[in-house]
Amino acid sequence: MANPAVTYEREIVPALFRPWANVLLDIAHPAPGERALDLACGTGIVARLAAVRMGGGGRVVGFDLNPAMLEVARDAAQREGLDIQWQQGDMTALPFDAGSFDLALCQHGLQFVPDRAAALAQIRRVLRAGGRLALTTWQGLEHHAFWSHFNDVLVRLIGIPAMAAPFALSDAQVLRSLLEEAGFSSVEIRTHSMPATFPDPNDFVAMEVDVIAAAIPATQHLDDRARAELTRAAEAEMAAPIRQQLRDGRLVVPMHALLAHAIA
């Protein structure tokens, strides 16, 4: 089995997170000379694309709890010739001075934070007055039949609803309340949908098991052997749902998200 963070960057980022990163940045409008903070950055696709849009000016910081993801992010940025600062830590205790940033970004990460209110209070603290926050969260599993089935499979096989966590902050009103209670104003939330396309359906389950081990806190204890055993069992149970989503030999899965923009 591959390094899970490497698999995440190689497989999931092009199919899923790079397209959504561009959607997020289209509402965030990072500008040259700004100071931008990418929270729950994973392997850093949002930070890297923001740095490109900013033209090398300003400051971009990628921040994540997972050091393995940051290591991959650092290597990717170096290959791409991008000057980005990478820092490990907890979103509920950001190690930055008040007013340090003009823009905060968070792509599909806030739902993984146990204390979301504390995280948003910290984000507002490190933004300057009038600074912007742009974030995305997935709509619920009820909007994602394919992932709901996968989640049921994981519950049966390992007793962990590992696919539930990414879809856990799916109510627009709950998200709005969290933002407003943290002191953000001019909160705008809208929905957006587009498909994720995975070019190799035959390797999809093995890839996804690696990604789960990299990105989902409840499954980061799975070692190579456990991931291999889970892959073999899940492939049998996911064969029919995968066939149903095939389009021209590729696996195409509809995705639905909330896009939020707010002012500090």
Side-chain angles (χ1 to χ4, degrees):
M1 304 295 281
N3 178 329
V6 171
T7 301
Y8 181 98
E9 170 64 20
R10 185 184 66 239
E11 305 290 347
I12 285 288
V13 167
L16 185 60
F17 289 121
R18 186 184 186 99
W20 282 97
N22 281 312
V23 171
L24 177 63
L25 292 171
D26 284 345
I27 69 169
H29 302 296
E34 288 195 312
R35 302 161 297 168
L37 174 62
D38 178 17
L39 295 146
C41 68
T43 57
I45 188 59
V46 170
R48 285 145 50 199
L49 292 177
V52 171
R53 292 194 185 205
M54 292 163 64
R59 176 191 182 203
V60 180
V61 178
F63 188 87
D64 199 275
L65 187 63
N66 188 328
M69 297 287 249
L70 289 172
E71 182 179 352
V72 174
R74 189 175 293 108
D75 290 345
Q78 186 174 17
R79 287 194 305 271
E80 295 166 14
L82 299 172
D83 183 14
I84 299 172
Q85 175 187 341
W86 305 101
Q87 189 156 344
Q88 191 270 340
D90 185 338
M91 281 175 61
T92 63
L94 295 176
F96 308 109
D97 292 338
S100 295
F101 296 95
D102 305 291
L103 173 64
L105 302 156
C106 187
Q107 174 171 250
H108 302 300
L110 183 61
Q111 58 264 46
F112 295 109
V113 181
D115 192 341
R116 297 163 187 158
L120 287 170
Q122 282 288 295
I123 294 168
R124 186 175 182 275
R125 180 186 66 80
V126 303
L127 283 169
R128 65 167 174 81
R132 296 110 60 212
L133 167 63
L135 65 85
T136 52
T137 64
W138 298 120
Q139 292 187 269
L141 279 174
E142 67 274 15
H143 296 279
H144 296 89
F146 179 85
W147 297 110
S148 181
H149 186 93
F150 202 169
N151 188 60
D152 291 343
V153 168
L154 293 170
V155 171
R156 286 196 297 273
L157 294 176
I158 59 174
I160 299 173
M163 294 312 307
F167 302 94
L169 184 52
S170 60
D171 187 303
Q173 188 53 53
V174 170
L175 180 57
R176 178 181 297 277
S177 295
L178 282 167
L179 289 165
E180 291 177 346
E181 289 167 9
F184 287 94
S185 63
S186 302
V187 177
E188 299 179 3
I189 300 175
R190 61 183 176 89
T191 60
H192 188 80
S193 300
M194 63 179 172
T197 301
F198 301 93
D200 191 347
N202 293 327
D203 286 342
F204 172 79
V205 171
M207 176 273 295
E208 190 61 35
V209 168
D210 259 8
V211 168
I212 289 168
I216 308 298
T219 57
Q220 287 176 357
H221 66 283
L222 296 174
D223 59 17
D224 286 359
R225 180 177 177 179
R227 299 201 310 273
E229 291 175 352
L230 176 57
T231 295
R232 285 192 294 271
E235 282 176 339
E237 298 212 32
M238 289 300 297
I242 287 172
R243 282 196 301 271
Q244 292 171 4
Q245 298 298 137
L246 292 180
R247 305 290 185 272
D248 298 322
R250 299 180 297 173
L251 175 61
V252 179
V253 183
M255 302 300 299
H256 313 282
L258 302 176
L259 307 179
H261 186 275
I263 303 299

